[in-house]
Amino acid sequence: MKHSRRLRAAVIMAVLTGISLPLSASADVVVQKSITYFQIGGRTAAELDAELSRKGPFTQASGSRHPGATQIRFGGDLTYTRRGTRCAIDDVRVTVETKLILPRWKNRKRASTEMALLWDALSADIKRHEERHAEIARQHAKLLEQRLMKLRPERNCEILQDRVAVVTDDVTASHDAAQMQFDRVEAKNFQDRMLRILRYRRESQENQ
């Protein structure tokens, strides 16, 4: 005899604190990814910075706006079955939904060469950053699926459900910590990374 329950959904907002890996669905984890854009104006670097600060996505976690953000939601279903006198996990289906929120500069085509280089480097870095947030979420969704499937049968399903809750909370906490650590490293290395990107883009243009 089998019965199922829906995994508790964990809703996380992973934000950009400084200024790729693509998501790929596995046979077990169901991945849904979308991208939305918000439009900004401005013509100078200072104006672009002001526009991002004014129009970027607001997150309650930080209480401020950011140049980009990734909304993440975990969910899924878990099926129990009876094995002899014990309750066991029969199947797990973990889902992760990611929504990237990125800026789009409406004056890009009319920009000077220097400003175009700056924007292209900046927007590419924002996208790469948010893609990595989504990848971290996918990795932890897979980890959750693996750990749940390894749970041993218990004498009743109530005990097993409690173990499922503990594992879900543990993986969620690990996910949150990984996202925050990524943001800390990114914020620390942002300036050096942007200088490298700008140098590479200038050299690429000069060699064309």
Side-chain angles (χ1 to χ4, degrees):
M1 178 177 165
K2 300 179 182 180
H3 65 281
S4 65
R5 72 186 289 258
R6 186 167 298 277
L7 292 175
R8 289 180 300 166
V11 183
I12 302 96
M13 175 72 77
V15 301
L16 181 69
T17 57
I19 232 282
S20 85
L21 299 176
L23 287 174
S24 58
S26 71
D28 303 309
V29 176
V30 178
V31 180
Q32 295 182 337
K33 174 184 165 184
S34 62
I35 301 177
T36 63
Y37 295 90
F38 62 95
Q39 187 166 272
I40 62 170
R43 296 185 181 277
T44 66
E47 289 173 350
L48 283 175
D49 184 58
E51 283 281 283
L52 288 170
S53 298
R54 185 169 66 90
K55 296 182 178 179
F58 177 85
T59 63
Q60 292 184 345
S62 65
S64 61
R65 293 185 178 275
H66 299 266
T70 302
Q71 295 176 342
I72 300 168
R73 182 186 297 272
F74 293 108
D77 294 284
L78 185 147
T79 303
Y80 299 91
T81 188
R82 181 66 60 178
R83 293 180 185 169
T85 60
R86 303 180 75 81
C87 179
I89 290 176
D90 180 64
D91 191 30
V92 176
R93 178 179 177 271
V94 177
T95 64
V96 57
E97 300 176 21
T98 61
K99 178 182 177 181
L100 277 61
I101 306 172
L102 304 173
R104 178 174 284 160
W105 186 28
K106 65 182 180 181
N107 295 324
R108 167 62 179 80
K109 293 182 179 180
R110 299 188 295 274
S112 66
T113 300
E114 192 67 21
M115 279 303 301
L117 279 171
L118 176 64
W119 173 254
D120 290 347
L122 178 62
S123 60
D125 197 61
I126 294 172
K127 186 175 188 295
R128 178 205 56 79
H129 180 104
E130 300 307 331
E131 290 277 12
R132 181 56 184 157
H133 274 306
E135 174 63 13
I136 291 172
R138 188 200 67 82
Q139 291 172 347
H140 282 78
K142 182 62 179 177
L143 175 63
L144 177 59
E145 183 265 338
Q146 292 172 342
R147 288 189 57 182
L148 290 174
M149 287 299 296
K150 289 181 179 178
L151 288 176
R152 296 178 179 178
E154 295 288 350
R155 64 177 181 271
N156 61 60
C157 289
E158 286 72 22
I159 295 176
L160 190 54
Q161 286 178 359
D162 289 341
R163 295 191 63 193
V164 166
V166 169
V167 168
T168 302
D169 289 344
D170 185 55
V171 174
T172 299
S174 175
H175 169 266
D176 292 352
Q179 298 284 18
M180 289 187 289
Q181 175 62 18
F182 172 63
D183 271 336
R184 283 193 292 267
V185 172
E186 287 279 287
K188 182 178 180 181
N189 299 329
F190 172 72
Q191 186 172 4
D192 289 342
R193 189 171 63 251
M194 287 298 295
L195 288 174
R196 288 196 302 270
I197 293 172
L198 284 169
R199 189 180 303 116
Y200 172 78
R201 288 182 179 274
R202 286 195 188 98
E203 291 173 353
S204 298
Q205 276 202 338
E206 291 170 358
N207 294 331
Q208 287 180 356

